[in-house]
Each structure stands twice: as structure tokens, then as C-alpha cells.
């Protein structure tokens, strides 16, 4: 008898709660997944398009839909890939993540005509200049999106690897003995 | 029995083979031949590099200011001898990477002609501020190797009301004996420097701590300090890294410096004996820091010695003088063997931080074939910072840097005790150095991402504002046009 009442009451409870959930699912539906917002805030936000998506938000959407891998963002590098993988609960083989080759745009003074096209497209205002004056790149603000390279009529803007100086020099990771070819 | 409940006064540490006898028994050589060229880096200290105020082709005198200090934490650089400025350019730095940094190249004229110095007759009559100003102007930095500008430390001492000044004469690194010899030979000058520093910091008490493997240095310092009851000279156990500031403070005062805090916050400041010696010269004779005593030792050195050299002397010249057999040298180390940095070649200058240059043979190096960790926990028991090195290294190996930071990576002082005792030759310190650099790089990347976002937002806001302005102008223009036409039509109707 007890068994029967337990089964009945639990079934009723289950049905009732299920009904409630169904209603809640309908009325309290979230328009976009909050995880997309969270991912977007992790991504650099410079809409550089290096991932192959039109901007950081589309990239975040693709990540959530599983259309992109956690290591999609070249400027973010392995640190960002790790964060994304942790957030989405993805398995991530860090050895496949290529550390981004750090680049910075530089103006060749010899060929710059001061056409002002580059600093109009720079998303971070990293290029300073005036009409008919030689422009210059503020290296610390450059995010290597290459937009200026595309618009420069004289090809005087080129990407260069960031120079290693005493300030940004770092120790290498010790190489494992059993895997002599491990990534440094 | 009660002592069992007391906190231990020494945590961790190793008893490394000292290798000091070859140099500690011989007097400091002061007749090092003046090099033809001196390479003087603009940054020989923690903080901002100095800014040169000489031009190529200038003739300078010994002690003349070459580059002035920039900003609060910085130190000036002076000419170690008289001569001609040949170049101000990038040259390889005394650093494992030997990457270029800005240096002033001075061609010495051999006259060693001094600039007019301004000695202080009675420094104890002048104010403490004057003392630290003078110390700062003399370019004195911590000569133990940390190279923190001494004047800044004196000022911090005054602000924080330091009650004890500890003078670090531990010299716990093997091979090095430059502080030992300095204390044996120039104890009076060091004690005078200590008195001047006490005056500059407005502190009453000083403790000179010397490891008990330097009995002669202790005797000399003890004798020199006898007239001054406020300077206590004590012996401390010989155990690396006894000269680490927190270990020394813990032993001498029984106080523990909290993680992430400066020692001045608990009322203690540490200076090196070499620094005290430099302060004596700067105040009493008005002589800036132009040279230092360097220990040249190691198995490949025929004539190991302590030698006083001008700053900017190339290591190759030092090695020629001491008879280093380059073919036998397996590794060149600047500093001590535990914390020192290996240098790729000898064409690098000595700087204010150079306490020693070692030319080590293959036999003196540790077998570097790495084997798996056997969980012996030796590294755990020797870590003076109380960390778990094997755990941190394992996390770093699989790139779990956050986990390593949680385990206390930032408290690691890279003393090398863990690597020293590891029976499996795991390069633990190298893992920590790599991870610290990586954590720093990630922080910088994070910072840059935030800055980028800020720049983007302000750019978008500006673009929006400009567009809005154009729209407003357009509306105003149209309104004005309508107004004009209205007026015109009114005039026409009136006419």
C-alpha cells in the first residue's frame, strides 16, 4: 500500500514539476545564450577577423555551436584557448595550439606618402599622423589586424615580428628528456 | 622543551660545498690594469634606465656624471675613469640572452684623472635627506646583486620608521668571497658606512650578520664596531640561502615578513656590506660608485682572486688577468653558482650587480640528465619559502600555470636549493623561471586585451560622435536653407 501511494505521489509530483518547467521554458526563454556573452568578453574584441569569422561575437557563437575549435583566436594564443576550453568544457591538446607569432605594423618612412588611409581603418587608433606627414605606428597599441597593410597604396606598412629585447625575453620551458622533441 | 613549540628560525636551505678557500685567503687585488675600453650599460639597476647626458666625442673625467637617473626608482651612471666617449649604442648585455642594451663606450686615456669631488666634512651634522640625496647621486645600488637603488631604500626607511637595519654579510653563495674580503680588509669603512646609513634612515640600531664560516671577517667587523654600542655584529649559521632577506630577518629578529609585503613594513631593512662600503666612499670622499670587488673563481681559473675593477670592464679582460683557461671552461656564470646566471660568452661587461664571475669546468657542473621524479620530497624539505617544488613543476610541465600560481609560484625566489638536491636532476628552478615569465607575459597580454577594448570603445564612441555631429550640421543646414527660402518668399510677397 505504502509503495503504491509513494509511486502515485512521486509521479504526480514529477508531472507537476515537469509542467512547471515546461511553462517556465516557454515564458522565461533567454534570447541568446549567456555563454556567448561570456565568451565574447574573453575574446580580444578587436573584430580583426583572423579566426575566419566576421567578428568576435560571431566567433563566440560558432564556438558555442561547436563549429570552431577552442584555439581559433590567433591573437589570444594558448592562454585564451585554455580559458575557452575551460569555459566550454572542451578537451584541449595544447601542443596543437600554435603560439601566435607576435607581429607589429611598422611604417617605412621612405615610402609613406601621408595619405591618411591607414589610420582611418586602424581599429585601435594605433597609427598617428596627418595629411602629407609621415605616419607612425604606436607599437604598444597595435593588435596586428593587418587592416592598414591592406589599404596602404605604397606598401610602406608591413608587419614585422616583435623584436625580442631584454624587457620581453623569457626563459624557455625545459625540454622533457623522454620526448626530446617536445615543444619549447 | 619549550623550544619545540617555537617557530623554526631557519627554514629549508642546503649546505653546499663552499669552494671559498681559493679566494677568501688572499687580499683584494687593487692593481687591475685599466682597460682600454669600458662598456657602461645605462641600466645597471632595478627601475628605469638612466638617460645619457654626454655626446659621442666628449672628454670626461673620472667620476663625471654620464647619465642621470630618470624617475623615482632609477640610478645615475658615472665615468669609471677619464677618457673619450666613443659611442652610445646597443651592445650585448651581461645576461643569459646577451641581448643588446644601451651602453656608453668609454675609451680610457690612462690618466685616471678625477673630477673635483665634494667630500662632506661632518655628515652627521647634515640632515638625513641630504645623506640619501648624496647616496642617490652617487649611483649606489644594492651591491648584493638585487641592485635596488639604495637612496630609495633609505627614504623608505625614514618613511616606515625602521627600527633595525640589518647589514647582510652572509655571503651564502658558494665560491663568492668578495664581501668576506671586504669585511676583513675594510671593516672600518663598512662600519662607517653603516653609521651613515643609520643616520640617513633615522634608525638607531644595526645588526651586522655574518655567516660563521667567516671568523676573520667577524673578528674584523666586531673590532671595528666596538666603539659603537648600537651596531651589533653577530654570527649566523652557515646555510644557503642565509643571505635571502626573509631568511635573515627571520633568524635575526624572529619576525616573519608576510607574503607579498616588503620587509620595511615590519620595521626592518637590509643592506649589503658592499653597499655600506660604497656609501662610506660616496659621503666621506664624494666618490660615486665606479667600481666594485669581484670574485673570479672556478675550476678553470688559474689565479682565482678578489679583484677591484672599474664598472664596464669586459669579462674577457678579467679572465685574461686571472688566467682563465677558456678551453676548460664549460660554463661562465655571473654571480654565485646557485642563483647566478650563465653567460654565453666573455664579451660582456661587468656591472654593479656583478659580485662574481665563475669559470666552471665540466666536473663542477651537475649531471644534467633528467630522470623521472621519485617523490622523495627532498625539494620540499629544502625550500626556504615553504613551497612544494615538485608539485609546482608537475603543474607547469602540463601547462597548468594557474595551479602553479596557486601553489605559491610567486613566492619562489629561484634560490636553486630544489634543483641542487634533486636526485633526479629535474631542472626545477628553470621550470619556475619559465613559468614566472609566462605568467607575466599572460598578464601583459590580458592587460593589452583590456587596453585594446578600451581603445576600440573610445574609437567607436568618437566615430559615433562625429557622425552625430555631421547629422546635426546637416539638419542645421537644411533648417537654415528653409529659413532663407521662407524669408526670400516673404520678401517677394512684400515686394
Amino acid at each position: 500500500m505504502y509503495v503504491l501511494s509513494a509511486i502515485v505521489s512521486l509521479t504526480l509530483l514529477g508531472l507537476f514539476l515537469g509542467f512547471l518547467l515546461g511553462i517556465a521554458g516557454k515564458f522565461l526563454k533567454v534570447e541568446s545564450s549567456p555563454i556567448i556573452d561570456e565568451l565574447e568578453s574573453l575574446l580580444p574584441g578587436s573584430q580583426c577577423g583572423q579566426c575566419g569569422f566576421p567578428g568576435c561575437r560571431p566567433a563566440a557563437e560558432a564556438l558555442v555551436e561547436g563549429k570552431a575549435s577552442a584555439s581559433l583566436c590567433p591573437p589570444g594564443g594558448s592562454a585564451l584557448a585554455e580559458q575557452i576550453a575551460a569555459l566550454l568544457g572542451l578537451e584541449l591538446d595544447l601542443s596543437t595550439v600554435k603560439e601566435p607569432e607576435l607581429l607589429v605594423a611598422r611604417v617605412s618612412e621612405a615610402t609613406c606618402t601621408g595619405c591618411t588611409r591607414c589610420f582611418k581603418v586602424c581599429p585601435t587608433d594605433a597609427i598617428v599622423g596627418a595629411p602629407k606627414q609621415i605616419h607612425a605606428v604606436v607599437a604598444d597599441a597595435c593588435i596586428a589586424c593587418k587592416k592598414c597593410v591592406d589599404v596602404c597604396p605604397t606598401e610602406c606598412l608591413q608587419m614585422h615580428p616583435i623584436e625580442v629585447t631584454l624587457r620581453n625575453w623569457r626563459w624557455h620551458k625545459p625540454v622533457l628528456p623522454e620526448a626530446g622533441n617536445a615543444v619549447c | 622543551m619549550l623550544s619545540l613549540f617555537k617557530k623554526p628560525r631557519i627554514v629549508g636551505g642546503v649546505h653546499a660545498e663552499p669552494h671559498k678557500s681559493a679566494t677568501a685567503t688572499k687580499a683584494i687585488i687593487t692593481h687591475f690594469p685599466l682597460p682600454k675600453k669600458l662598456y657602461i650599460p645605462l641600466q645597471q639597476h632595478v627601475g628605469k634606465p638612466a638617460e645619457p647626458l654626454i655626446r659621442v666625442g666628449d672628454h670626461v673625467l673620472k667620476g663625471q656624471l654620464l647619465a642621470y637617473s630618470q624617475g623615482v626608482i632609477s640610478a645615475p651612471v658615472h665615468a669609471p675613469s677619464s677618457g673619450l666617449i666613443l659611442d652610445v649604442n646597443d651592445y650585448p648585455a651581461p645576461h643569459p640572452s646577451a641581448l643588446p642594451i644601451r651602453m656608453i663606450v668609454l675609451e680610457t686615456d690612462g690618466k685616471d684623472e678625477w673630477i673635483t669631488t665634494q667630500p662632506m666634512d661632518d655628515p652627521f651634522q647634515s640632515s638625513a635627506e641630504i645623506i640619501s640625496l648624496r647616496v642617490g647621486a652617487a649611483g649606489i645600488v644594492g651591491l648584493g646583486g638585487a641592485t635596488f637603488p639604495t637612496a630609495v631604500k633609505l627614504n623608505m626607511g625614514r618613511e616606515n620608521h625602521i627600527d633595525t637595519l640589518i647589514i647582510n654579510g652572509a655571503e651564502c653563495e658558494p665560491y663568492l668571497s668578495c664581501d668576506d674580503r671586504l669585511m676583513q680588509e675594510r671593516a672600518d669603512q663598512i662600519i662607517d658606512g653603516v653609521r651613515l646609513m643609520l643616520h640617513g634612515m633615522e634608525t638607531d640600531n644595526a645588526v651586522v650578520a655574518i655567516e660563521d664560516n667567516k671568523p676573520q671577517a667577524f673578528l674584523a667587523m666586531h673590532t671595528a664596531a666596538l666603539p659603537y654600542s648600537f651596531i651589533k655584529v653577530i654570527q649566523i649559521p652557515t646555510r644557503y640561502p642565509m643571505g635571502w632577506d626573509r631568511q635573515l630577518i627571520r633568524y635575526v629578529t624572529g619576525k616573519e615578513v608576510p607574503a607579498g609585503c616588503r620587509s620595511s613594513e615590519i620595521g626592518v631593512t637590509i643592506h649589503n656590506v658592499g653597499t655600506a662600503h660604497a656609501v662610506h666612499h660616496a659621503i666621506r670622499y664624494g666618490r660615486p660608485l665606479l667600481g666594485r670587488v669581484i670574485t673570479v673563481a672556478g675550476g678553470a681559473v688559474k689565479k682565482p682572486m678578489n679583484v677591484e675593477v672599474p664598472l664596464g670592464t669586459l669579462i674577457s679582460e678579467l679572465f685574461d688577468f686571472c688566467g682563465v683557461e677558456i678551453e676548460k671552461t664549460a660554463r661562465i656564470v655571473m654571480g654565485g653558482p646557485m642563483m647566478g646566471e650563465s653567460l654565453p660568452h666573455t664579451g660582456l661587461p661587468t656591472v654593479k650587480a656583478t659580485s662574481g664571475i665563475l669559470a666552471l669546468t665540466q666536473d663542477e657542473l651537475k649531471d644534467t640528465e633528467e630522470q623521472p621524479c621519485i617523490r622523495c620530497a627532498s625539494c620540499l624539505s629544502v625550500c626556504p619559502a615553504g613551497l612544494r617544488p615538485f608539485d609546482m613543476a608537475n603543474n607547469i610541465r602540463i601547462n597548468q600555470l594557474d595551479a602553479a600560481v596557486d601553489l605559491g609560484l610567486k613566492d619562489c625566489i629561484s634560490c636553486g636549493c630544489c634543483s641542487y638536491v634533486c636526485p633526479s636532476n629535474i631542472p626545477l628552478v628553470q621550470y619556475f623561471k619559465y613559468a614566472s615569465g609566462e605568467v607575466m607575459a599572460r598578464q601583459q597580454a590580458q592587460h593589452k586585451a583590456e587596453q585594446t577594448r578600451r581603445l576600440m570603445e573610445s574609437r567607436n564612441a568618437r566615430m559615433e560622435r562625429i557622425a552625430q555631429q555631421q547629422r546635426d550640421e546637416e539638419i542645421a543646414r537644411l533648417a537654415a536653407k528653409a529659413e532663407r527660402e521662407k524669408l526670400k518668399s516673404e520678401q517677394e510677397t512684400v515686394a
Side-chain angles (χ1 to χ4, degrees):
Chain A
M1 198 58 206
Y2 288 123
V3 179
L4 206 67
S5 67
I7 289 173
V8 169
S9 61
L10 278 178
T11 312
L12 284 176
L13 193 70
L15 282 171
F16 175 68
L17 288 177
F19 182 67
L20 272 188
L21 267 178
I23 301 240
K26 203 139 194 153
F27 285 95
L28 303 175
K29 195 182 171 198
V30 182
E31 283 308 320
S32 82
S33 161
I35 203 153
I36 295 182
D37 295 330
E38 208 170 324
L39 275 173
E40 196 191 353
S41 68
L42 280 180
L43 292 167
S46 51
Q47 331 294 354
C48 67
Q50 288 180 64
C51 53
F53 295 97
C56 291
R57 182 146 191 110
E61 281 161 8
L63 272 172
V64 171
E65 286 163 23
K67 286 183 193 156
S69 86
S71 52
L72 87 169
C73 181
S78 60
L80 179 68
E82 238 174 84
Q83 283 177 310
I84 293 174
L87 191 68
L88 296 177
L90 298 174
E91 285 285 321
L92 178 69
D93 184 7
L94 273 174
S95 60
T96 63
V97 181
K98 256 208 325 228
E99 278 303 319
E101 196 199 357
L102 298 171
L103 295 172
V104 65
R106 207 186 300 150
V107 173
S108 151
E109 283 88 353
T111 46
C112 178
T113 57
C115 71
T116 75
R117 281 185 215 182
C118 54
F119 74 68
K120 282 182 189 150
V121 296
C122 179
T124 55
D125 290 332
I127 306 180
V128 288
K132 307 234 167 128
Q133 305 284 320
I134 293 172
H135 303 336
V137 178
V138 181
D140 286 342
C142 176
I143 54 163
C145 68
K146 300 182 183 142
K147 282 184 182 163
C148 50
V149 177
D150 295 340
V151 298
C152 181
T154 61
E155 293 187 346
C156 79
L157 261 159
Q158 294 294 332
M159 304 307 292
H160 295 271
I162 288 181
E163 215 178 317
V164 181
T165 62
L166 271 193
R167 290 211 171 272
N168 59 17
W169 183 87
R170 313 260 180 244
W171 283 97
H172 286 298
K173 186 173 178 180
V175 181
L176 285 179
E178 57 268 12
N181 55 355
V183 188
C184 264
Chain B
M1 193 62 201
L2 265 175
S3 64
L4 279 177
F5 297 100
K6 275 190 191 157
K7 274 191 166 179
R9 295 182 89 177
I10 301 178
V11 177
V14 291
H15 201 98
E17 195 66 39
H19 292 288
K20 286 178 191 263
S21 54
T23 53
T25 47
K26 286 187 248 166
I28 298 171
I29 305 290
T30 50
H31 61 267
F32 183 76
L34 188 64
K36 281 268 172 291
K37 278 185 192 171
L38 296 170
Y39 292 78
I40 308 141
L42 292 174
Q43 176 142 35
Q44 303 185 33
H45 50 265
V46 176
K48 281 195 172 170
E51 189 64 28
L53 44 63
I54 38 83
R55 279 162 196 270
V56 175
D58 283 1
H59 185 267
V60 293
L61 295 175
K62 186 176 185 175
Q64 188 175 332
L65 185 65
L66 295 182
Y68 61 92
S69 105
Q70 267 202 108
V72 182
I73 300 177
S74 184
V77 175
H78 300 81
S81 185
S82 59
L84 192 72
I85 304 293
L86 281 188
D87 199 3
V88 181
N89 213 333
D90 289 354
Y91 286 94
H95 184 265
S97 68
L99 282 165
I101 51 166
R102 289 250 278 169
M103 293 191 197
I104 296 173
V105 184
L106 176 70
E107 187 185 44
T108 54
D109 57 11
K111 291 181 201 151
D112 222 20
E113 198 180 335
W114 267 97
I115 198 167
T116 327
T117 53
Q118 291 165 321
M120 286 176 91
D121 293 333
D122 195 354
F124 294 101
Q125 294 304 315
S126 54
S127 71
E129 284 82 5
I130 303 263
I131 298 285
S132 50
L133 266 179
R134 284 236 175 189
V135 168
I140 298 176
V141 298
L143 294 181
T147 63
F148 191 81
T150 304
V152 181
K153 238 168 148 179
L154 294 182
N155 289 337
M156 284 198 314
R158 273 202 310 280
E159 284 156 21
N160 289 305
H161 306 289
I162 298 297
D163 47 48
T164 316
L165 165 66
I166 298 178
I167 297 296
N168 189 349
E171 198 166 52
C172 53
E173 278 264 13
Y175 289 95
L176 302 187
S177 62
C178 53
D179 289 352
D180 184 8
R181 282 315 304 185
L182 210 57
M183 289 189 284
Q184 289 185 39
E185 294 175 33
R186 303 176 194 174
D188 292 330
Q189 299 176 11
I190 294 170
I191 292 296
D192 186 62
V194 175
R195 286 173 61 217
L196 291 164
M197 281 206 265
L198 283 174
H199 181 55
M201 283 170 49
E202 294 173 342
T203 302
D204 301 325
N205 293 298
V207 180
V208 183
I210 302 166
E211 272 193 354
D212 55 14
N213 62 354
K214 305 176 191 51
Q216 275 143 332
F218 171 74
L219 199 67
M221 291 293 282
H222 188 72
T223 320
L226 268 183
Y228 312 108
S229 58
F230 49 89
I231 300 176
K232 217 163 72 178
V233 182
I234 60 163
Q235 280 194 312
I236 52 175
T238 303
R239 190 169 182 85
Y240 178 85
M242 204 62 217
W244 173 40
D245 55 356
R246 283 159 198 245
Q247 184 90 299
L248 197 56
I249 290 169
R250 199 186 288 143
Y251 187 82
V252 173
T253 66
K255 290 183 201 166
E256 176 98 29
V257 183
C261 290
R262 285 210 177 90
S263 65
S264 56
E265 287 170 41
I266 59 163
V268 185
T269 288
I270 294 202
H271 285 281
N272 187 266
V273 284
T275 317
H277 177 252
V279 167
H280 162 80
H281 280 273
I283 303 290
R284 294 286 181 183
Y285 306 104
R287 290 179 194 158
L289 182 63
L290 304 180
R292 65 162 298 154
V293 179
I294 293 176
T295 304
V296 183
V301 187
K302 272 198 223 140
K303 293 182 280 176
M305 61 174 81
N306 280 298
V307 55
E308 199 165 16
V309 294
L311 298 172
T313 304
L314 289 186
I315 294 169
S316 52
E317 300 198 31
L318 205 56
F319 275 11
D320 286 346
F321 186 71
C322 300
V324 174
E325 294 165 275
I326 277 293
E327 59 281 359
K328 269 170 73 183
T329 311
R331 188 175 294 170
I332 306 157
V333 177
M334 189 177 97
M338 301 292 280
M339 283 185 81
E341 293 189 317
S342 91
L343 301 179
H345 56 89
T346 57
L348 309 168
T350 53
V351 287
K352 290 173 185 175
T354 315
S355 47
I357 298 283
L358 310 178
L360 303 174
T361 56
Q362 193 59 48
D363 301 341
E364 291 170 287
L365 298 177
K366 203 184 168 188
D367 182 14
T368 49
E369 197 171 319
E370 186 184 337
Q371 281 163 1
C373 173
I374 54 166
R375 298 280 195 277
C376 65
S378 305
C379 51
L380 191 136
S381 55
V382 298
C383 180
L387 305 174
R388 299 206 298 271
F390 63 95
D391 224 1
M392 285 183 352
N394 281 342
N395 276 302
I396 294 165
R397 192 175 291 141
I398 54 167
N399 284 322
Q400 298 282 356
L401 296 188
D402 293 338
V405 172
D406 289 343
L407 285 167
L409 177 67
K410 286 183 178 161
D411 290 321
C412 171
I413 54 160
S414 317
C415 66
C417 288
C418 48
S419 295
Y420 181 82
V421 295
C422 182
S424 294
N425 295 323
I426 299 172
L428 291 151
V429 180
Q430 206 185 332
Y431 274 111
F432 306 147
K433 282 189 170 176
Y434 152 74
S436 306
E438 195 59 30
V439 167
M440 179 93 85
R442 286 189 184 187
Q443 277 171 352
Q444 281 168 354
Q446 182 82 29
H447 178 75
K448 181 158 180 177
E450 280 161 24
Q451 291 298 313
T452 303
R453 205 162 297 146
R454 198 179 53 77
L455 284 169
M456 299 264 310
E457 277 163 14
S458 59
R459 180 186 155 89
N460 290 343
R462 195 182 70 233
M463 289 304 178
E464 182 61 33
R465 204 176 58 237
I466 292 171
Q468 182 65 40
Q469 215 172 341
Q470 278 171 349
R471 276 198 300 276
D472 289 350
E473 278 170 13
E474 184 70 15
I475 290 166
R477 201 175 58 82
L478 287 174
K481 199 180 166 190
E483 187 76 9
R484 267 202 314 277
E485 275 168 9
K486 202 176 145 197
L487 258 167
K488 215 172 167 185
S489 59
E490 271 172 19
Q491 279 170 354
E492 274 169 10
T493 47
V494 169

